[in-house]
Amino acid sequence: MAPHAIAIIGQGSPDSGRAIDDAEECGRLLARRGVTVVTGGLGGVMAAASRGAKSEGGLVVAVLPGIDPGVANPHADVVVCTGSGEGRNLAVVASARAAIAIGGGWGTLSEIGLAKRIGRGLVLLGTWHVGAPDGWDPGDAPLLATSAQDAVEIAVGL
Amino acid sequence: MAPHAIAIIGQGSPDSGRAIDDAEECGRLLARRGVTVVTGGLGGVMAAASRGAKSEGGLVVAVLPGIDPGVANPHADVVVCTGSGEGRNLAVVASARAAIAIGGGWGTLSEIGLAKRIGRGLVLLGTWHVGAPDGWDPGDAPLLATSAQDAVEIAVGL
Amino acid sequence: MAPHAIAIIGQGSPDSGRAIDDAEECGRLLARRGVTVVTGGLGGVMAAASRGAKSEGGLVVAVLPGIDPGVANPHADVVVCTGSGEGRNLAVVASARAAIAIGGGWGTLSEIGLAKRIGRGLVLLGTWHVGAPDGWDPGDAPLLATSAQDAVEIAVGL
Amino acid sequence: MAPHAIAIIGQGSPDSGRAIDDAEECGRLLARRGVTVVTGGLGGVMAAASRGAKSEGGLVVAVLPGIDPGVANPHADVVVCTGSGEGRNLAVVASARAAIAIGGGWGTLSEIGLAKRIGRGLVLLGTWHVGAPDGWDPGDAPLLATSAQDAVEIAVGL
């Protein structure tokens, strides 16, 4: 049976800053626990998380929007080309038990919504603040983490 | 050439309340202007917007997640079965020049993200509050509307 | 409730020849019967079928692969941008009660397979010959038509 | 960088017979060459190919239609849930350099079309016979193999 997988979702650029450091650390910590890391396969947070996981010998999966595997960052063991465009955001979060969202990006916001929509666990680390409208009950709220280590602890425990 | 289309996105239930009234009014106002109304084709906000548009003789398009047209609400002139599951959220917003988001729903949040990700205009009416993380520039923010009439004015002007 | 829809699937080029004449005639005949015509929204067979239907005042739906409505042929009343790439082939056949396949194209072959996979009626007119392997029962075979008129009669009767 | 991957596409049932034996042997032979095996993740040919590859220590990827990883056969190292329904057929062939089609199934026929549509190499082993219509040039035809060993030799050489 496939090992547990956790998705790290986040902005595709820039390639440095707090979000990048957090993503790389999350990748490392997940790999050390034997958790497969799934990302959207491109740059920024996606590349950093993949690089971190690979540096610890983890299994890394890139789930790309298009059909050209050549655009994936170089840290993935498996490159899946969905051909679904931004529709691949659903595949990223659906392919994991839980997702850790890091940093900005409108695509990241869409993945936050999709992860909750399909009932996946979700941990937020320095990312979008989302507030439901009055009179609508969002059910279980996403969980807030204060550090990469905290985010991984929460996600693995879900 | 196809007429302009505007998407109304929002929660699939319940079927009454402020969001439902707003959605129905937006549908009516868009139809009166000759704008095609696109929704996700199910209940709640989607049904209300479609019903409103249909009551004014508008052209109404339902973009469903699955392959069974029988689950669409009864107000659509055209029922598109994407077969893409929640991936159809992309098709809903991509098929319109702009989207008006009303009420709650995690799927609605994903559509807010997707609309901005692909550069569509977006108007928020009594829906999610979204705040970008520190250090990430979301570019043009979605526009806030205070009433159905206001939302339609803004969306049509985009 | 939405009117019945039939998809016309076929090659995106060239724009003249037997397949194009057949597609345009199918579009005309379907529109005269009040049937909505669904196509993949681009050139060749798709444009011809749409042009034929429009010339008779029919309702025409274009289901595009990408997110840019500007690439649609000019004959559609409704342009749906799935953003699913070639995955939109599923949406084309799923959005109709039955499909008429005309001419060549590898994408057309995929739509033939998808239409049968999801249980839609399928009529073949001057298109791929497909033969199931020994030992596998394909169930109901697609129906062969000998002319545009024949194809429409069969499709409408399914 | 990710290792080369080859997809094995084919019917989801039954679970015995010539197609199943061929799929399992293809899986074994690909794994021995260090090639990642990608399938649609369900039963029949998909399970057999995965079981064969796993028995030789290969890396096996399951690309599922839905969002429930629990329906995957038990032989995959990585389970990707596309949530795209039959649209995942595109992801299966797009995620590999080449595909080997074995046995029947309408979904298999759709994958044959999709693989060629997006320019992937394609080898046919005891599967659909497809003949293009008169007057349409399909370009490079799929390659016919006479045995599992032959299919793998051809696919790896593409």
Side-chain angles (χ1 to χ4, degrees):
Chain A
M1 198 184 139
H4 290 320
I6 288 181
I8 299 180
I9 58 180
Q11 64 203 41
S13 65
D15 291 313
S16 62
R18 171 68 187 274
I20 299 305
D21 296 343
D22 282 343
E24 189 161 355
E25 179 68 2
C26 283
R28 277 192 293 262
L29 294 170
L30 288 169
R32 278 183 209 151
R33 289 163 172 269
V35 176
T36 298
V37 170
V38 178
T39 81
L42 300 175
V45 160
M46 298 172 265
S50 302
R51 186 170 60 239
K54 203 68 231 154
S55 73
E56 296 287 334
L59 185 60
V60 178
V61 181
V63 180
L64 295 173
I67 62 172
D68 176 8
V71 304
N73 66 56
H75 312 297
D77 299 290
V78 171
V79 175
V80 170
C81 297
T82 63
S84 303
E86 294 299 320
R88 77 81 149 77
N89 294 2
L90 175 61
V92 173
V93 295
S95 299
R97 295 179 61 207
I100 300 172
I102 301 174
W106 289 108
T108 309
L109 183 63
S110 78
E111 290 169 315
I112 289 171
L114 289 167
K116 293 298 296 182
R117 180 69 181 83
I118 65 170
R120 295 301 193 266
L122 179 63
V123 182
L124 306 180
L125 176 60
T127 185
W128 291 89
H129 306 270
V130 297
D134 291 343
W136 186 81
D137 176 7
D140 291 335
L143 300 161
L144 298 176
T146 55
S147 69
Q149 187 162 347
D150 188 32
V152 168
E153 294 286 342
I154 295 172
V156 169
L158 285 171
Chain B
M1 198 184 137
H4 290 320
I6 289 182
I8 299 180
I9 58 181
Q11 64 202 41
S13 64
D15 291 312
S16 62
R18 171 70 187 275
I20 299 305
D21 295 343
D22 282 344
E24 188 160 356
E25 180 69 3
C26 283
R28 275 192 294 262
L29 294 169
L30 289 168
R32 277 183 212 152
R33 289 162 172 270
V35 176
T36 298
V37 170
V38 178
T39 80
L42 301 176
V45 161
M46 298 172 265
S50 303
R51 187 171 59 239
K54 203 68 230 154
S55 72
E56 295 287 335
L59 184 60
V60 178
V61 181
V63 180
L64 295 174
I67 61 172
D68 177 7
V71 303
N73 65 57
H75 313 295
D77 299 290
V78 171
V79 175
V80 170
C81 297
T82 64
S84 302
E86 293 300 319
R88 81 78 152 74
N89 294 1
L90 174 62
V92 173
V93 296
S95 299
R97 294 179 63 207
I100 300 172
I102 302 174
W106 289 109
T108 308
L109 183 63
S110 78
E111 290 169 315
I112 288 172
L114 289 166
K116 294 298 295 181
R117 180 71 182 82
I118 64 170
R120 295 300 192 268
L122 179 63
V123 182
L124 306 181
L125 176 61
T127 185
W128 291 89
H129 305 269
V130 297
D134 292 343
W136 186 81
D137 176 7
D140 290 335
L143 300 161
L144 297 176
T146 56
S147 68
Q149 188 163 345
D150 188 34
V152 167
E153 293 287 341
I154 296 172
V156 169
L158 285 172
Chain C
M1 199 185 137
H4 290 321
I6 288 181
I8 299 180
I9 58 181
Q11 64 203 42
S13 64
D15 290 313
S16 62
R18 172 69 188 276
I20 299 305
D21 295 343
D22 283 344
E24 189 160 356
E25 179 68 3
C26 283
R28 276 192 294 261
L29 295 170
L30 288 169
R32 277 182 212 152
R33 289 163 173 268
V35 175
T36 299
V37 171
V38 178
T39 80
L42 301 175
V45 161
M46 298 172 265
S50 303
R51 186 170 60 239
K54 204 66 230 156
S55 73
E56 296 287 335
L59 184 60
V60 178
V61 182
V63 180
L64 295 173
I67 62 173
D68 177 7
V71 304
N73 65 57
H75 313 295
D77 299 289
V78 171
V79 175
V80 170
C81 297
T82 64
S84 303
E86 293 300 320
R88 79 81 151 75
N89 294 0
L90 174 62
V92 172
V93 296
S95 299
R97 293 179 63 207
I100 301 172
I102 303 174
W106 289 108
T108 309
L109 183 63
S110 78
E111 290 169 315
I112 289 172
L114 289 167
K116 293 299 294 182
R117 180 71 181 84
I118 65 170
R120 295 300 193 265
L122 179 63
V123 182
L124 306 180
L125 176 61
T127 185
W128 291 88
H129 306 268
V130 296
D134 292 343
W136 186 80
D137 176 9
D140 291 336
L143 300 161
L144 297 177
T146 56
S147 69
Q149 187 163 346
D150 188 33
V152 168
E153 294 286 342
I154 296 172
V156 169
L158 285 171
Chain D
M1 199 184 137
H4 291 320
I6 288 180
I8 300 180
I9 58 180
Q11 64 203 42
S13 65
D15 290 314
S16 63
R18 173 67 186 276
I20 299 304
D21 296 343
D22 282 344
E24 188 161 356
E25 180 68 3
C26 284
R28 276 192 294 261
L29 293 169
L30 288 169
R32 277 182 211 152
R33 288 161 173 271
V35 175
T36 298
V37 170
V38 178
T39 81
L42 300 176
V45 160
M46 298 173 264
S50 302
R51 187 171 58 237
K54 203 66 231 156
S55 72
E56 296 287 333
L59 185 60
V60 178
V61 181
V63 180
L64 295 174
I67 62 172
D68 177 6
V71 304
N73 66 56
H75 312 296
D77 298 290
V78 171
V79 175
V80 170
C81 297
T82 63
S84 303
E86 294 299 320
R88 77 79 148 78
N89 295 0
L90 174 62
V92 172
V93 296
S95 299
R97 295 179 61 207
I100 300 172
I102 302 174
W106 290 108
T108 309
L109 183 63
S110 78
E111 290 169 315
I112 288 171
L114 288 167
K116 293 299 295 183
R117 180 70 182 82
I118 64 170
R120 294 300 193 267
L122 180 63
V123 182
L124 306 181
L125 176 60
T127 185
W128 291 89
H129 306 269
V130 297
D134 292 343
W136 187 82
D137 176 7
D140 291 335
L143 300 161
L144 297 177
T146 56
S147 69
Q149 187 164 344
D150 188 33
V152 167
E153 294 285 342
I154 296 171
V156 169
L158 285 172

